[in-house]
Amino acid sequence: MMTLAQFVELLDIHGADPARWPDPSREAAQELLAANADARAVLAGAADFDVLIARHYRRASPHAGARSEEQAMVRVLARLEAPLPPQRRGLLPRLLPAALLEFDLAPAWPRFAALVGIAVLGFAVGLSDAGMAVTKKSASAIVGTPASSDSDLSLILFEPDPLSAMR
Amino acid sequence: MDGASDEDLMARISQGDERAFRLLARRYLPRALGLARRVLGNEADAEEVVQEALLRVWLNAARWRPTAAFRTWFYRVVLNLCLNRKRRAPFAALADVDEPADPAPGPFLEIEHRQTDRLVAAAIAGLPDRQRAAIVLTYQEGMSNAETAAVLGASISGIETLLVRARRALRKALGSVLASER
């Protein structure tokens, strides 16, 4: 049988309307409701909550303020009355329609996140041993001598030029 | 053409039929405006976002394929634009938005309803963007968790987590209102 905690979880996920509950859970929940007064009280509280939120949206719905809503619609439709821009056509959209469209209309943040992630990864690789190993190979290739040890390499890479001009 | 399905209208729009486009726009404008207004909390921004979403429908009609219901796809475009805009612009609290007049039977009841509405609006405004969007789609649009997941581009379990958190936060914020409603 469903526990009271599981029933509370069900209400938090699906709300108080049994029609929205998944079939297997509905049966178990109804058994619990028949046997447990606490479950019935929890259901009543969840129903009050649903009614409060749904009523809020119903009262603030377009139909409640039909006149201002009509005005908003007229404004948007008036802007769309202007000559519409040419539609996107061509071969590429036909070849990759769904993927392109989803990517084009997706939120901007995943692309920014990917860009930042790549930048951070590049920076981390540059600072890490892996990046340094690449630099060592490049340096030895340029200098023409194998890098015999880390200290030799650091001399090549980080030894500052003498400030001869300052003397 | 008034009785044509969304998919039929989209097929016509993809051929450049402006009349079909305006018919589809008129069909979805009220709900889309309501959705955008609830997420953005700003009438002017909501109108701009819906206009932009409709223009994208027009521009991309030839690329659209009916793999999902038009409503789901269109609401997804509207919501993505809303969430992008909210990241760019400072947030106007939903509690500050004037609610349309409610045809309540008496002045005292109307005052009471308005006070309750302000508290509910403030509590919903305090939710993170995606939780608020999930609540709007569930309670305003009456969408199932699966439909909400499709609109928000998330898994059903992800939406269930959002709804659990949102409902718990709202119940906590509205404890006194719920107690007085009983």
Side-chain angles (χ1 to χ4, degrees):
Chain A
M1 185 188 262
M2 182 180 269
T3 65
L4 188 59
Q6 287 169 331
F7 184 60
V8 169
E9 183 85 7
L10 176 77
L11 295 177
D12 281 340
I13 292 173
H14 298 286
D17 180 2
R20 292 177 67 100
W21 301 346
D23 287 337
S25 305
R26 191 185 305 123
E27 228 168 80
Q30 278 166 348
E31 278 177 29
L32 177 70
L33 283 167
N36 190 321
D38 288 343
R40 289 193 292 274
V42 168
L43 178 64
D48 286 346
F49 172 82
D50 282 357
V51 166
L52 181 71
I53 305 296
R55 194 179 64 198
H56 169 71
Y57 282 125
R58 202 169 52 245
R59 284 161 51 78
S61 78
H63 307 293
R67 198 170 149 202
S68 65
E69 188 59 30
E70 186 61 35
Q71 288 167 346
M73 277 184 63
V74 167
R75 281 194 295 273
V76 175
L77 287 171
R79 287 184 213 134
L80 293 174
E81 279 301 318
L84 293 165
Q87 291 176 307
R88 288 176 188 156
R89 294 180 186 280
L91 189 60
L92 192 60
R94 280 185 204 153
L95 290 175
L96 295 167
L100 271 181
L101 196 52
E102 287 301 315
F103 182 77
D104 200 23
L105 300 175
W109 69 265
R111 276 170 272 177
F112 283 118
L115 188 65
V116 170
I118 289 166
V120 169
L121 185 67
F123 192 67
V125 167
L127 287 180
S128 69
D129 285 346
M132 193 59 81
V134 172
T135 316
K136 284 174 189 173
K137 282 180 188 166
S138 312
S140 60
I142 292 164
V143 172
T145 55
S148 56
S149 70
D150 282 357
S151 58
D152 292 339
L153 182 82
S154 63
L155 278 175
I156 295 166
L157 290 176
F158 299 117
E159 184 71 15
D161 289 336
L163 299 174
S164 50
M166 296 294 285
R167 289 178 189 162
Chain B
M1 199 181 351
D2 280 7
S5 70
D6 297 343
E7 286 69 27
D8 289 344
L9 289 177
M10 279 301 283
R12 286 166 184 261
I13 294 167
S14 69
Q15 303 300 315
D17 186 338
E18 294 192 13
R19 208 172 134 236
F21 170 68
R22 295 203 165 87
L23 186 61
L24 192 67
R26 191 171 280 278
R27 187 178 287 178
Y28 276 94
L29 251 178
R31 308 299 294 182
L33 277 170
L35 178 65
R37 198 181 291 128
R38 288 286 112 207
V39 176
L40 290 167
N42 179 305
E43 181 64 44
D45 283 354
E47 286 179 25
E48 276 182 30
V49 158
V50 173
Q51 181 190 337
E52 172 70 22
L54 287 167
L55 274 177
R56 287 188 186 210
V57 168
W58 168 256
L59 287 173
N60 295 294
R63 299 158 67 189
W64 184 76
R65 296 289 178 275
T67 48
F70 172 80
R71 181 178 84 141
T72 305
W73 176 70
F74 180 59
Y75 282 176
R76 191 168 173 177
V77 174
V78 172
L79 266 176
N80 284 341
L81 288 172
C82 287
L83 296 176
N84 277 348
R85 180 169 288 236
K86 271 184 70 65
R87 283 190 190 91
R88 289 202 310 264
F91 176 63
L94 281 176
D96 296 341
V97 179
D98 286 338
E99 297 293 353
D102 176 49
F108 294 113
L109 195 57
E110 186 175 331
I111 289 168
E112 197 181 313
H113 281 173
R114 277 176 170 272
Q115 281 173 343
T116 304
D117 270 343
R118 265 192 210 103
L119 290 170
V120 175
I124 293 171
L127 294 174
D129 288 345
R130 286 175 69 79
Q131 286 183 30
R132 183 165 57 253
I135 287 288
V136 173
L137 292 171
T138 301
Y139 286 97
Q140 180 170 296
E141 299 300 320
M143 286 187 171
S144 66
N145 291 358
E147 287 174 306
T148 303
V151 171
L152 282 172
S155 64
I156 295 178
S157 63
I159 289 302
E160 289 177 352
T161 305
L162 281 181
L163 283 171
V164 167
R165 287 182 185 158
R167 283 192 172 109
R168 286 178 184 168
L170 288 176
R171 245 199 308 278
K172 192 173 171 192
L174 296 170
S176 58
V177 178
L178 284 164
S180 67
E181 291 276 313
R182 281 171 201 148

